[in-house]
């Protein structure tokens, strides 16, 4: 457990707007920009930063997250924060800022503070936004040309087979996973998954509505099913026994502290692990990359989907996301 330092204080929580490259389109709609909240903490000698992206489908906003951080008067201790502040993007930004500050104070990187192995380059997925089959095929070809070996395709529940067939034509040699974003809730999940399995898809993310996990009871799908909207923290694991995997995102978990604990608990129960992200800059992706070490599927392209990233962006080479020095370095 970390020890609270009396001098530690919240310096600021501000909202930044970052443009998306083109549009990011899923079954719920399109985004052309993303607002992130950046939290800065300090102790008089050192400064730490963390970034969070509001979970918009749960009603969060970046402005609301900034207000929650600025109004926070509880203990500035990572473990105590788990009880003192609700999960979500605000707690994520503050928790990651505290990790960053602690690393600078101790003069060691966060991975060492957390008892982890030194991070290595990650084969991140690249997201193919929802669109007509021809558009998704072209996007898949472009992603392969950039060196990506894993593509994550957004689906909508209608015409999904045609979309993935087109992606497979554009990217015949890559791994494919799909994200239904809760859009298969009224469809035959086994039949949909079987059709995609024939095209080489290896996993389906969140086919059913959050709260309707009973739809999977007794179901034997030909592909692993991964909980995203259905899984936020360790408290959710008890009701996810019909899923095969969980997608860990720091904004959902409410910080690196809970995300690391969730990964450990999920593995102990036999779940496979996916580590994902919301749209955001490399400042938000860097802590998630620590959780992603050794994950079965890695989807940390949130900054790669932006029109530009902040200075010190995590390097991308041949589809591999490399550790950087933007965050968490002592």
């Amino acid at each position: 457990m970390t020890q609270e330092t009396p001098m530690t204080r919240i310096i600021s929580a501000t909202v930044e707007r970052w443009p998306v490259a083109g549009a990011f389109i899923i079954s719920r709609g399109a985004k052309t920009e993303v607002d992130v909240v950046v939290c800065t903490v300090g102790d008089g000698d050192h400064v730490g930063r963390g970034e969070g992206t509001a979970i918009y489908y749960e009603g969060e906003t970046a402005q609301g997250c900034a207000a929650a951080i600025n109004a926070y008067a509880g203990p500035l201790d990572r473990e105590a924060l788990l009880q003192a502040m609700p999960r979500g993007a605000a707690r994520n930004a503050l928790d990651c800022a505290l990790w960053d500050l602690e690393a600078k104070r101790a003069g060691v990187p966060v991975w060492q503070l957390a008892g982890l192995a030194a991070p290595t380059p990650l084969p991140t997925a690249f997201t193919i936004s929802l669109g007509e089959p021809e558009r998704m095929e072209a996007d898949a070809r472009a992603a392969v040309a950039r060196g990506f070996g894993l593509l994550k395709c957004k689906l909508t529940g209608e015409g999904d087979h045609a979309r993935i067939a087109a992606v497979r034509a554009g990217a015949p040699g890559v791994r494919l996973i799909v994200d239904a974003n809760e859009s298969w809730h009224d469809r035959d999940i086994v039949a949909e998954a079987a059709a995609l399995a024939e095209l080489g898809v290896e996993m389906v993310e969140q086919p059913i509505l959050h709260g309707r996990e009973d739809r999977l009871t007794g179901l034997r799908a030909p592909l692993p099913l991964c909980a995203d909207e259905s899984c936020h923290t360790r408290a959710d694991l008890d009701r996810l026994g019909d899923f095969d995997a969980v997608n860990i995102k720091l904004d959902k978990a409410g910080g690196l502290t809970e995300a690391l604990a969730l990964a450990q608990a999920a593995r102990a129960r036999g779940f496979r692990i996916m580590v994902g992200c919301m749209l955001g800059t490399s400042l938000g992706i860097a802590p998630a990359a620590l959780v992603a070490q050794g994950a079965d599927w890695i989807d940390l392209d949130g900054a790669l989907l932006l029109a530009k990233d902040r200075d010190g962006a995590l390097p991308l080479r041949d589809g591999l996301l490399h550790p950087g020095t933007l965050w968490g370095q002592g």
Side-chain angles (χ1 to χ4, degrees):
M1 180 173 176
T2 57
Q3 298 297 314
E4 182 177 353
T5 299
M7 292 179 63
T8 301
R9 65 184 182 90
I10 296 172
I11 297 174
S12 66
T14 58
V15 175
E16 297 178 354
R17 177 162 293 176
W18 294 82
V20 174
F24 179 72
I25 305 171
I26 66 173
S27 60
R28 298 190 192 96
K31 282 183 173 290
T32 57
E33 58 192 18
V34 61
D35 289 343
V36 302
V37 58
V38 176
C39 176
T40 304
V41 298
D43 62 6
D45 295 314
H46 307 92
V47 172
R49 294 191 303 160
E51 176 184 301
T53 300
I55 309 173
Y56 65 94
Y57 58 81
E58 292 195 331
E60 287 190 350
T61 66
Q63 292 75 17
C65 291
I69 295 171
N70 284 322
Y72 179 74
L76 290 176
D77 171 277
R78 290 186 287 101
E79 294 294 338
L81 192 63
L82 296 178
Q83 304 302 320
M85 195 175 200
R87 67 166 180 83
R91 193 176 79 186
N92 177 32
L94 179 52
D95 177 77
C96 289
L98 291 172
W99 274 105
D100 192 33
L101 175 65
E102 187 176 342
K104 290 181 171 65
R105 183 185 292 143
V108 298
V110 166
W111 62 263
Q112 189 172 329
L113 284 177
L116 304 173
T120 59
L122 298 171
T124 183
F126 187 79
T127 300
I128 305 300
S129 284
L130 182 64
E132 293 302 316
E134 297 79 9
R135 178 71 262 170
M136 294 181 73
E137 178 180 350
D139 289 346
R141 289 184 190 277
V144 170
R146 294 177 62 187
F148 290 100
L150 173 63
L151 302 182
K152 173 174 149 174
C153 304
K154 293 291 188 177
L155 300 181
T156 186
E158 297 287 344
D160 289 343
H161 187 272
R163 289 186 173 90
I164 298 305
V167 168
R168 179 53 80 196
V174 305
R175 299 168 60 203
L176 295 180
I177 57 178
V178 299
D179 186 0
N181 280 123
E182 303 179 283
S183 66
W184 288 8
H185 57 89
D186 59 353
R187 305 189 72 83
D188 185 331
I189 294 171
V190 172
E192 294 285 341
L196 297 186
E198 293 178 356
L199 295 169
V201 171
E202 62 184 57
M203 182 269 282
V204 179
E205 191 179 346
Q206 196 66 35
I208 49 90
L209 292 169
H210 167 49
R212 288 300 313 276
E213 289 77 18
D214 59 289
R215 281 274 281 116
L216 302 183
T217 302
L219 187 146
R220 295 293 178 263
L223 293 176
L225 304 180
C226 180
D228 182 11
E229 287 87 349
S230 290
C231 181
H232 300 89
T233 69
R234 286 169 287 177
D236 295 310
L237 292 176
D238 284 343
R239 57 184 180 77
L240 299 180
D242 293 301
F243 281 98
D244 305 287
V246 295
N247 187 355
I248 300 172
K249 294 178 180 175
L250 269 65
D251 288 304
K252 292 190 304 173
L256 177 61
T257 303
E258 175 60 28
L260 289 170
L262 171 57
Q264 182 179 30
R267 285 192 178 97
R269 293 177 181 232
F271 288 102
R272 299 176 74 180
I273 302 295
M274 178 179 186
V275 176
C277 62
M278 308 289 279
L279 287 172
T281 79
S282 284
L283 180 59
I285 300 300
L290 298 183
V291 187
Q293 299 293 319
D296 296 278
W297 299 281
I298 299 160
D299 179 29
L300 295 180
D301 64 348
L304 304 177
L305 298 169
L306 301 180
K308 62 177 182 178
D309 198 354
R310 64 176 77 245
D311 292 341
L314 299 186
L316 178 76
R317 293 189 289 273
D318 298 324
L320 296 177
L321 197 63
H322 289 252
T325 58
L326 180 64
W327 175 91
Q329 303 300 306

